[in-house]
Structure formats: structure tokens, C-alpha cells
Amino acid sequence: MNKPEVVMIGLGYIGLPTAALIAQNKTFVHGVDINPHVVDTINAGNIHIIEPELDIAVANAVKEGFLKASTTPVAANIYLIVVPTPFKAKNEPDISFVEAATRAVLPLLKENDLYIIESTSPIGTTEKMMALIYSERPELKDKLNIAYCPERVLPGNVMYELVHNDRVIGGIDEKSTDKAVAFYKQFIKGDLHKTNARTAEMCKLVENSSRDVQIAFANELSLICDKANINVWELIDLANKHPRVNILQPGCGVGGHCIAVDPYFIVSDYPMESKIIGTAREINNYKSFWCAEKVQTAKLEFELKYGRKPNIALMGLSFKPNIDDLRESPAKYIAQKVLQNANNEEYYIVEPNIKEHKVFKLTDYKEAVEKADIIVFLVAHKEFKILETPIDKVVLDFCGVFK
Ligand SMILES: NC(=O)c1ccc[n+]([C@@H]2O[C@H](COP(=O)([O-])OP(=O)(O)OC[C@H]3O[C@@H](n4cnc5c(N)ncnc54)[C@H](O)[C@@H]3O)[C@@H](O)[C@H]2O)c1
């Protein structure tokens, strides 16, 4: 392979597709991951994650010599940081992976290089990394281009969205912003919007917080409607007939590694100012707890009425419909909570998008519906939507399968 122009640190759901896209553009990419299995898989022309069209892109890029993976970085002109940014206990963001990745490339940096963070990051992370770089390499002070460019792709459609989505690009100065825009322009067809690093960092967090707040409003309505004996689905449908009202649908909480996580990056740094964002998180978490309590109540009512323990079907485990991703899933949380309170009832756990699970024994959805006395819909998977409403059973529809 020729001398790499780009070093990509982190070859996961975002880093690998981005590396493949850049390589497709005939730019030499040296991909780095601390996981040797990831490195070996990619160097064999294969992929370790599920994402449509990524397999072909990686196989071609490796075969043509434009993509190579390694556990250590080499010198290049452009460094992209695409490592995880999880949260720690007390919902505080953990930027230690970004720092470790930055320390790994630090000795390789030279004048005029471009260093970009793509990982979802708390406000000020790019400036913090700049301070780290210049404290270790003072001779480079103000001679690097440092920018932040968040990712907003939808898993399952990454190879299309990577090219066509607009991007927000914020440098620590105008020169850095311009350099980063010139880089992304080579392979992105969406519009590239210039700003500063702090605004770009906040923009990513705000996009997901906005979704979280809107879902919290729908979830709050579902709690009020339950008490007021109003059908929340009908209510929202009617309210949305107003030309300027667009209420989202309630569910059994909010999950996934973005919407359920990113708002905490704002709340933990600005707790006094982010009241709505913080409360939305609480409402969405509470909705899951409330659903688990509803199952418990339905169970006790059944026992009182029929004098026997009910069979219970829990329908869906993933964090949204028609996917196999269980990260931060409210449905999984509810299933765990319900099973913790189990008292000799028979449970059927259903997740049609997963064959096996190491904790839950899974049952086919039709069998579960047939055998259950209480059917709890946690995720509106397409398989469930075609079921008839069972009239002789107790149905708890938390996600609008029969709305
Ligand atoms: N997946 C998404 O849909 C999505 C969307 C938008 C933003 N993001 C953000 O993008 C970032 C990356 O997410 P992802 O989904 O690609 O994560 P991921 O867990 O799929 O991949 C990250 C990779 O980085 C590697 N890694 C960790 N530390 C490293 C280090 N010091 N050096 C080299 N490799 C290292 C891991 O082994 C892993 O393979 C996160 O900040 C995430 O919040 C993700």
C-alpha cells in the first residue's frame, strides 16, 4: 500500500463505513482498531458488523489496496477519531477513548495536518484535545488544523446516508474549518455547513435531545390519558389534524445508543440550564418503569379474577421496531423487571429479529400469543401488526400495535 493520506482511529459502525467510502475515492486509508479480531477480519476483506453494502465496499477497498487495518497508527496527513463515547456511572460522558486515540496519534502529527473528531462528544472536547496535543507537542502550536464533524447516519442505511446527508463542520479556527470542509467535499454530496467546534459538538447533542424531548411529550400524554380514560392514539391522531401540531407516538420508553444517551452529555455539564432535556430523560425512563408496574398489576388482577397464575407473553426486546439492536432498550429493561417479579407464572419472551439470546429463552411470536393469558406489546414489530386483536385475552399495548 502507498503512503496513507488518512488514518481512521476506530473501525466500528461509523469508522469502518467512513473508511471504506474514503478508500472508494482512491484515497489510501490506514484503519486502526484496538481489537485484533476487527483488524484481521478487515484485512481478510471481510466485515465484523452488519450493515447493507458495507461488505462489498470493504472487500473492494482492501483488494485494491486502498484500505488496510492495523492495531497501531502510522504517519498520514489526516487523522479521524471515531471511537466510542459511552457514559459512566451518574450518566457522565466518558471521553477516555477519544483521549486514548488522540494520544496514539500525537507523536505522528506534523505541521499542517488535519485532526478531526467524529465521535459524539460533550461540548468543549475538541478544545480539550487541542490543549492536550499542544501541551505534548508545543512546537506545533497553532500549526495544526483541528475540527469536529459529527455523524448522523441511520444504521441500516449508512452507505447511502454517509454520502448524501448534510454535515456540520466546526473547526477551532476558520482555517481548520475550511481544511475539514475541503476534505469531506471529496466524498460527500450533502451540503457541508461551516461553524465552530463547540457549536458542531452541541448540534449533534441537540439533534438527539430534541427527539428525546418530543417523545417524552407523547409519553407524558400516554400517562395522563391512561388515568383520564382516553385513548392516547386517537387523541394524538386528532390533535395532529391541527396544521401546526405534530405530536410523536408514545412507546414503552426511549432506547438505543444515541437518543437515550446523548442528552446526558448536555445535562451532566449544564444541569441548572437543561431542565426540559433532563426532565424528558426522566419521563422516558419512568415510562418503562410504569409499563413494568402495569404488567405487575395485570398479573395480580388476573390471579384475583381466575384464581390461577397467568401465562404472560412479552412481545419484543429491541429498542425500536424491526431491528435486532437491544442497546439501552426499554423493552429489554421491562422484560428484566417483570421477570425479577416472577412468581411461578409462565413467561414467553418474543423477539422475532433474534434467533438466540444468552439471557432470555425466546419463543416464536405465534406460539406465545396462543399460549398467553396476558399479552404485553413492547415493540411494534411488523410481525405483531398483522395479528388479530385477541378478544379473549388481556392485552397491554404499550407501543400502538393495534392503534
Ligand atoms: N453507530 C451509530 O449509529 C452512530 C451514529 C452517530 C454517531 N455515533 C458516534 O460515533 C462514535 C463511534 O460509534 P460506533 O457506533 O462506530 O462505535 P463502535 O463501538 O461500533 O466502534 C468503535 C470502535 O473503536 C474501537 N476503539 C476503541 N478505542 C480505540 C482506540 N483507542 N484506538 C483504536 N480503536 C479504538 C473499538 O474497538 C470499536 O471497534 C460514538 O461516539 C458514537 O456515539 C454513532
Side-chain angles (χ1 to χ4, degrees):
M1 187 164 115
N2 289 15
K3 191 177 170 320
E5 284 168 54
V6 175
V7 161
M8 172 75 64
I9 312 277
L11 297 170
Y13 283 96
I14 300 297
L16 183 57
T18 308
L21 180 66
I22 299 168
Q24 266 176 358
N25 214 40
K26 312 269 179 236
T27 297
F28 292 101
V29 181
H30 181 90
V32 179
D33 204 288
I34 45 170
N35 184 339
H37 166 71
V38 169
V39 169
D40 294 343
T41 306
I42 294 168
N43 283 335
N46 299 318
I47 58 174
H48 62 292
I49 51 178
I50 296 174
E51 180 58 45
E53 295 171 33
L54 179 63
D55 50 351
I56 298 165
V58 169
N60 286 344
V62 171
K63 199 169 105 199
E64 290 174 12
F66 285 101
L67 174 62
K68 185 178 184 298
S70 166
T71 50
T72 47
V74 295
N77 307 318
I78 298 162
Y79 298 87
L80 290 175
I81 311 293
V82 198
V83 292
T85 39
F87 56 56
K88 300 184 273 199
K90 294 194 189 157
N91 298 325
E92 286 164 3
D94 177 2
I95 61 164
S96 62
F97 295 87
V98 174
E99 188 177 329
T102 303
R103 284 191 185 279
V105 301
L106 242 166
L108 303 164
L109 293 171
K110 61 183 184 315
E111 206 175 315
N112 237 353
D113 279 353
L114 177 59
Y115 161 98
I116 302 171
I117 303 175
E118 285 202 6
S119 299
T120 303
S121 301
I123 300 157
T125 303
T126 311
E127 289 168 350
K128 261 190 201 152
M129 292 307 114
M130 175 183 73
L132 170 71
I133 293 168
Y134 289 152
S135 73
E136 299 281 323
R137 301 284 310 275
E139 76 281 10
L140 289 177
K141 178 127 180 52
D142 300 330
K143 292 179 181 152
L144 294 174
N145 301 292
I146 297 176
Y148 181 75
C149 178
E151 187 46 68
R152 41 163 71 134
V153 290
L154 181 72
N157 196 26
V158 170
M159 296 314 282
Y160 177 85
E161 292 206 0
L162 261 184
V163 179
H164 293 94
N165 284 355
D166 284 10
R167 297 289 284 266
V168 173
I169 301 174
I172 43 113
D173 51 30
E174 266 183 47
K175 183 169 74 79
S176 298
T177 309
D178 290 343
K179 278 266 184 188
V181 167
F183 166 64
Y184 283 105
K185 222 180 211 151
Q186 297 172 62
F187 54 94
I188 288 181
K189 292 192 178 132
D191 290 339
L192 304 175
H193 304 274
K194 293 184 190 180
T195 182
N196 57 50
R198 293 176 78 82
T199 309
E201 288 162 346
M202 175 95 172
C203 188
K204 170 70 191 171
L205 305 180
V206 161
E207 287 162 18
N208 287 331
S209 301
S210 156
R211 301 277 298 158
D212 199 42
V213 168
Q214 290 176 54
I215 298 168
F217 183 69
N219 277 334
E220 185 164 285
L221 290 182
S222 72
L223 301 175
I224 299 167
C225 284
D226 185 71
K227 254 197 178 161
N229 197 20
I230 290 170
N231 180 325
V232 68
W233 314 103
E234 184 194 358
L235 171 85
I236 291 175
D237 199 34
L238 292 173
N240 282 348
K241 302 287 182 216
H242 184 293
R244 285 167 298 282
V245 171
N246 185 16
I247 304 169
L248 300 184
Q249 301 294 299
C252 66
V254 167
H257 56 291
C258 287
I259 300 182
V261 175
D262 297 355
Y264 287 125
F265 286 25
I266 299 179
V267 176
S268 72
D269 285 343
Y270 305 93
M272 294 307 289
E273 295 77 12
S274 55
K275 293 283 184 262
I276 290 181
I277 300 172
T279 306
R281 277 288 62 240
E282 283 171 22
I283 292 169
N284 287 331
N285 286 340
Y286 174 70
K287 181 68 193 285
S288 311
F289 174 82
W290 181 90
C291 292
E293 289 293 299
K294 279 271 167 193
V295 177
Q296 184 71 3
T297 307
K299 205 169 90 175
L300 297 175
E301 282 174 357
F302 184 94
E303 260 188 86
L304 273 178
K305 193 167 171 190
Y306 297 102
R308 68 172 173 88
K309 300 275 179 194
N311 295 336
I312 300 174
L314 299 176
M315 308 290 285
L317 285 177
S318 61
F319 83 81
K320 64 176 182 179
N322 311 321
I323 58 164
D324 64 354
D325 193 340
L326 307 191
R327 284 181 288 178
E328 310 297 327
S329 169
K332 191 177 89 176
Y333 163 85
I334 294 165
Q336 280 163 340
K337 206 144 177 52
V338 168
L339 291 179
Q340 273 166 14
N341 292 327
N343 186 13
N344 292 321
E345 303 85 12
E346 193 72 46
Y347 286 92
Y348 305 103
I349 315 286
V350 173
E351 180 39 74
N353 297 294
I354 294 178
K355 281 204 181 83
E356 267 180 79
H357 190 270
K358 53 182 186 297
V359 176
F360 300 108
K361 180 177 171 284
L362 300 177
T363 303
D364 172 72
Y365 70 98
K366 284 185 187 148
E367 184 188 336
V369 167
E370 200 182 300
K371 290 187 174 162
D373 303 301
I374 300 174
I375 308 173
V376 185
F377 287 98
L378 299 172
V379 189
H381 286 312
K382 59 182 185 320
E383 291 85 352
F384 305 162
K385 290 203 163 222
I386 52 168
L387 292 168
E388 297 276 309
T389 320
I391 37 171
D392 56 338
K393 313 206 177 212
V394 179
V395 175
L396 299 180
D397 183 4
F398 294 131
C399 52
V401 169
F402 298 117
K403 70 174 182 229

